[in-house]
Amino acid sequence: MSRLIVRPSAPLSGEVTISGAKNSALKLMAACVLAEGRYVLRNVPAISDVEYMCALLEAMGMQTRRREDGALEIIRGSQVIPEAPYELVERMRASSAVLGPLLAAMGEARVAMPGGDDFGARPIDMHLQGLEALGAEFTLSHGMIHARAERLVGTEVVLDYPSVGATENLLMAAVLAEGRTTVRNAAREPEIADLGAFLNRMGGQILGAGSSVVTIDGVSDLRAVEHTVIPDRIEVATFLSVLGVAGGELTLQHVRPDHLDLLIEKLGAMGIRISPEPDGLWAMASGRPRPTNVATLPYPGLATDYLPLLVALQCFNTGTSYATENVFSGRFRYVGELARMGAQVRVDGHHLVIDGVERLSGAPVRALDIRAGAALVVAALGADGETIIADAHHLDRGYEGLTDRLSAIGVQIERLD
Ligand code: UD1
């Protein structure tokens, strides 16, 4: 069982290169189902979620390979097996991103129904309703969604909520549908703008990806292309939260500050000094963070994936802070782990009330998912003694070489497998 051991560290210093965005790379990989040919994706992080997506594409008859220059090459032949089996979907929910592309390219899809996870129930009803509006028919049996569409026809879809996954599946289906699809109340995350850019490069005609109204004029042919994935904004939040607790000075390279407006503002309010640089960020922190309230919302609101990291930082604030989770109602399980380290956090519905303490106390804890695990690393930097984080494999799903990159800036961290 993989574990991380984190010890109190001196103030940090150095440079960190931010990886490509996991949540963009996975969807671009799914989009490669749409057209035959050889794709080259650059800046795809070497993380286990990417390996799972490679395994899924290979199970569907495609080929994937890491080139020597680090780029991911994906070859899609003339036919794709339109099936995403349970063993693969269960490992990674993002596998359901192949539903839209399979329907559009093959006219059918058999995709295992994703279950819940540490975030809570996580239904995909909006994905299915949107695809149904385009002409797909679904049946559910033995835990598999069977989808069929003789043809997909463009229409207007109004999402009840700006779901990231539903917006992406709709874009990837509508790009090959007949006529115009308009998605209203679409999710506006930068990863969706990246997917829109990728699909347009393939020959799609999409306007407004990354805004709340997306117009897709269906085309009959797409082609394989090369593309560079945008930087991972959640990784930026992770390194800045680590800095916020440990103190010191860091330069983060390969960052899109324009994707981080609200995060920079909130961290600034906590007392972390941040200034955007060309293609990067400079940041400095000293002392305990000031009490600041944070609330998650769909983009451009504060991302739900930031919240465990920010809460870990708030544990050290000089008063009382509040944190509100508005996106995934069940996403507070990590609070129990922080409490084992002495954090004063009270759950009140979808709010947290956090009374800051000067130091936590190192303890054995468990990473429950990617960001919950990263939050424990943040907390451990302000804890006396050793913190041992079990189930560290969760962090490998979303962070490339985290232990080495943290060690390089002065974090006392060690991995035991
Ligand atoms: C994606 C991200 C995840 C991030 C989330 C919100 C990936 C691989 N994952 O997840 O890291 O935390 O966006 O930014 O990109 N919902 C429904 N029905 C649906 C779809 C969603 O009720 O059909 C609900 C969800 O349960 C949740 C909310 O809508 O409460 C937001 O979910 P969504 O935006 O779809 O997130 P994901 O795409 O699953």
Side-chain angles (χ1 to χ4, degrees):
M1 184 177 292
S2 53
R3 286 176 301 165
L4 289 176
I5 302 185
V6 187
R7 300 186 180 90
S9 312
L12 310 180
S13 68
E15 289 177 3
V16 179
T17 301
I18 297 300
S19 309
K22 166 180 94 75
N23 287 351
S24 186
L26 295 174
K27 316 309 167 57
L28 302 184
M29 293 171 71
C32 296
V33 166
L34 283 165
E36 190 178 342
R38 189 177 66 91
Y39 297 82
V40 178
L41 294 178
R42 297 199 174 77
N43 206 29
V44 174
I47 52 176
S48 36
D49 270 13
V50 164
E51 284 170 26
Y52 298 152
M53 188 56 96
C54 285
L56 175 58
L57 298 183
E58 282 170 17
M60 299 194 310
M62 295 162 64
Q63 291 165 36
T64 68
R65 169 175 91 89
R66 260 300 163 183
R67 298 195 326 190
E68 259 169 36
D69 64 1
L72 183 69
E73 186 176 278
I74 297 175
I75 297 175
R76 195 280 214 190
S78 59
Q79 290 300 315
V80 173
I81 304 161
E83 177 151 340
Y86 180 63
E87 309 82 76
L88 295 172
V89 175
E90 180 215 28
R91 275 203 275 178
M92 187 183 57
R93 272 187 57 89
S95 310
S96 52
V98 298
L99 186 57
L102 281 176
L103 265 174
M106 309 303 296
E108 63 171 324
R110 293 183 298 278
V111 176
M113 183 77 184
D117 61 12
D118 279 328
F119 294 14
R122 297 189 82 174
I124 57 162
D125 53 318
M126 280 188 268
H127 302 227
L128 303 186
Q129 280 159 19
L131 295 170
E132 236 164 20
L134 290 176
E137 288 177 1
F138 295 98
T139 52
L140 176 69
S141 63
H142 306 294
M144 295 292 283
I145 300 164
H146 297 250
R148 281 195 168 278
E150 294 262 300
R151 51 202 267 266
L152 293 172
V153 181
T155 185
E156 177 159 311
V157 179
V158 185
L159 293 176
D160 287 349
Y161 181 94
S163 152
V164 172
T167 304
E168 291 165 338
N169 252 326
L170 279 168
L171 256 61
M172 292 188 279
V175 68
L176 282 177
E178 287 172 37
R180 172 170 292 190
T181 302
T182 308
V183 183
R184 297 190 188 279
N185 199 23
R188 291 180 279 169
E189 272 67 5
E191 293 74 22
I192 291 172
D194 202 23
L195 177 64
F198 182 68
L199 294 173
N200 281 344
R201 190 166 286 183
M202 288 175 70
Q205 288 190 22
I206 299 176
L207 262 182
S211 75
S212 53
V213 182
V214 188
T215 309
I216 305 124
D217 283 313
V219 297
S220 52
D221 273 318
L222 293 171
R223 59 180 173 278
V225 292
E226 304 197 358
H227 185 85
T228 302
V229 177
I230 57 169
D232 196 318
R233 59 203 169 96
I234 311 164
E235 212 176 78
V236 175
T238 307
F239 282 99
L240 291 177
S241 302
V242 160
L243 177 74
V245 176
E249 189 178 339
L250 287 182
T251 303
L252 306 186
Q253 282 166 338
H254 196 196
V255 172
R256 284 279 302 263
D258 56 321
H259 293 165
L260 294 158
D261 288 346
L262 204 47
L263 178 75
I264 291 175
E265 194 180 313
K266 284 293 170 188
L267 291 173
M270 290 185 194
I272 302 179
R273 289 169 56 199
I274 300 175
S275 88
E277 295 196 331
D279 192 40
L281 279 183
W282 169 90
M284 193 170 102
S286 63
R288 291 170 63 187
R290 286 196 283 272
T292 309
N293 302 336
V294 293
T296 66
L297 278 177
Y299 192 85
L302 213 54
T304 168
D305 290 335
Y306 300 157
L307 201 69
L309 306 158
L310 297 179
V311 169
L313 183 53
Q314 286 173 312
C315 286
F316 302 97
N317 70 43
T318 51
T320 300
S321 291
Y322 299 86
T324 300
E325 174 54 69
N326 291 310
V327 178
F328 288 106
S329 53
R331 200 174 181 177
F332 278 154
R333 285 183 57 209
Y334 59 92
V335 169
E337 301 302 302
L338 292 173
R340 301 200 70 254
M341 300 174 70
Q344 300 294 308
V345 184
R346 190 160 50 81
V347 181
D348 181 359
H350 65 127
H351 307 286
L352 299 179
V353 184
I354 304 142
D355 289 320
V357 294
E358 196 165 343
R359 303 286 295 168
L360 292 178
S361 121
V365 285
R366 187 170 299 280
L368 297 165
D369 67 45
I370 307 173
R371 310 306 164 191
L376 295 174
V377 175
V378 174
L381 286 168
D384 292 325
E386 232 173 47
T387 299
I388 301 171
I389 305 172
D391 287 350
H393 61 273
H394 281 297
L395 286 119
D396 303 336
R397 288 190 45 203
Y399 295 99
E400 174 175 342
L402 186 65
T403 317
D404 288 347
R405 290 157 81 205
L406 285 172
S407 299
I409 52 171
V411 175
Q412 300 293 313
I413 186 167
E414 199 184 321
R415 170 108 182 198
L416 296 182
D417 279 310

